[in-house]
Amino acid sequence: MRFNRAISPIKVLSFDLDDTLYNNHPIILNAIEAMQSYLQSIPEWANQQGDYWLKCRRHIGETQPHLKDDVTNWRKVALEYGMSQLAFTNEEIARHSSNAYQAFANARSNITVAQSVLSLLQALDKKYTLIAITNGNVEVEKFNLAGVFTHVYLAGPDGKAKPNTALFERACHDLKVNPSEILHIGDSLDTDVQGANLAGCHSVWLNNQSASYAYKGLADIEIQDIHQLAFLK
């Protein structure tokens, strides 16, 4: 654990979700596999050359860049676009797109957070208000983080994605706290630490990923294991 700056008194602990409270890598791979399995069961889709899904996703990202702040709608719109290019009826486009997205969503939230992490959160909840701020589209109410957080803020429905400050500002407004009273914990320097720093919140970087980042700023605190947050209890 490393302290780069002193932090002022904290009222709210804000958590990123994916790769902070659980390993998201196998989860997202399973979700993509579930979606692709459904898509490949559709002959018209399976007959397309190359990675047709990736082509559709890239096309929507380039033509509707605002959707990059809302990964759920980006996926849904890309699926609808892909189906619309295959001469399906409107009913078939809607049905296949919905079914493919639902296959993804069901697997996306098939998560079990470790009991040790839940126990840590339960202990921290005795002293702080716990919230989540995520750029992802996991549905917390579908697994064992349900009921843990006072608020869950999702990029898209609740504001632009981190490192934009919108979600942090929304949390400050809803909870009636100053930015300096929020400590945000996340695994990404580019989104979590940069976003919290820009918003005037305190930041904890969970540095346990072998990833490279563009952001050169410092988190207030750096940890290598989520359980090191026990010092906050």
Side-chain angles (χ1 to χ4, degrees):
M1 181 185 300
R2 185 171 72 189
F3 292 83
N4 295 317
R5 286 184 291 268
I7 60 174
S8 55
I10 299 298
K11 292 183 178 179
V12 178
L13 296 182
S14 165
F15 288 87
D16 176 53
L17 297 176
D18 297 340
D19 293 320
T20 296
L21 297 180
Y22 48 85
N23 180 7
N24 191 54
H25 297 288
I27 295 163
I28 198 70
L29 288 175
N30 287 340
I32 292 170
E33 183 179 351
M35 183 189 77
Q36 291 283 22
S37 179
Y38 178 82
L39 293 173
Q40 291 302 310
S41 73
I42 305 169
E44 292 87 346
W45 186 289
N47 289 337
Q48 299 305 304
Q49 298 297 312
D51 190 334
Y52 185 55
W53 160 247
L54 185 58
K55 291 178 183 177
C56 295
R57 188 176 186 276
R58 283 177 176 169
H59 174 78
I60 296 303
E62 292 168 358
T63 58
Q64 301 185 51
H66 65 282
L67 288 176
K68 291 183 179 180
D69 279 315
D70 188 338
V71 292
T72 295
N73 276 335
W74 185 3
R75 187 172 298 274
K76 288 180 176 179
V77 172
L79 285 167
E80 291 169 358
Y81 167 76
M83 296 298 171
S84 73
Q85 304 304 299
L86 303 179
F88 286 125
T89 65
N90 288 339
E91 185 278 329
E92 289 171 327
I93 292 170
R95 174 165 51 84
H96 284 313
S97 299
S98 176
N99 288 348
Y101 181 79
Q102 199 56 53
F104 172 88
N106 290 343
R108 177 72 177 89
S109 297
N110 185 15
I111 298 168
T112 301
V113 177
Q115 184 56 51
S116 61
V117 174
L118 295 176
S119 296
L120 172 66
L121 295 173
Q122 185 178 33
L124 294 172
D125 186 49
K126 295 176 181 178
K127 187 175 179 181
Y128 307 95
T129 298
L130 305 187
I131 66 172
I133 295 180
T134 177
N135 284 354
N137 52 2
V138 67
E139 298 175 70
V140 168
E141 66 276 8
K142 290 187 175 180
F143 60 103
N144 63 343
L145 282 180
V148 169
F149 302 109
T150 300
H151 294 281
V152 177
Y153 296 99
L154 303 172
D158 298 313
K160 289 188 175 182
K162 299 171 291 184
N164 190 284
T165 60
L167 298 175
F168 297 99
E169 292 167 358
R170 172 75 179 274
C172 289
H173 176 269
D174 290 350
L175 298 170
K176 297 179 172 56
V177 296
N178 296 319
S180 62
E181 294 175 308
I182 294 180
L183 179 63
H184 180 70
I185 302 102
D187 67 289
S188 171
L189 276 177
D190 289 342
T191 58
D192 294 303
V193 174
Q194 182 174 200
N197 289 354
L198 289 173
C201 301
H202 291 297
S203 56
V204 175
W205 179 31
L206 176 60
N207 180 12
N208 64 354
Q209 309 274 336
S210 56
S212 58
Y213 298 100
Y215 183 60
K216 302 306 179 183
L218 289 174
D220 295 302
I221 302 168
E222 182 178 332
I223 60 177
Q224 289 73 45
D225 188 302
I226 195 68
H227 296 92
Q228 289 178 292
L229 293 177
F231 81 93
L232 292 168
K233 293 191 292 186

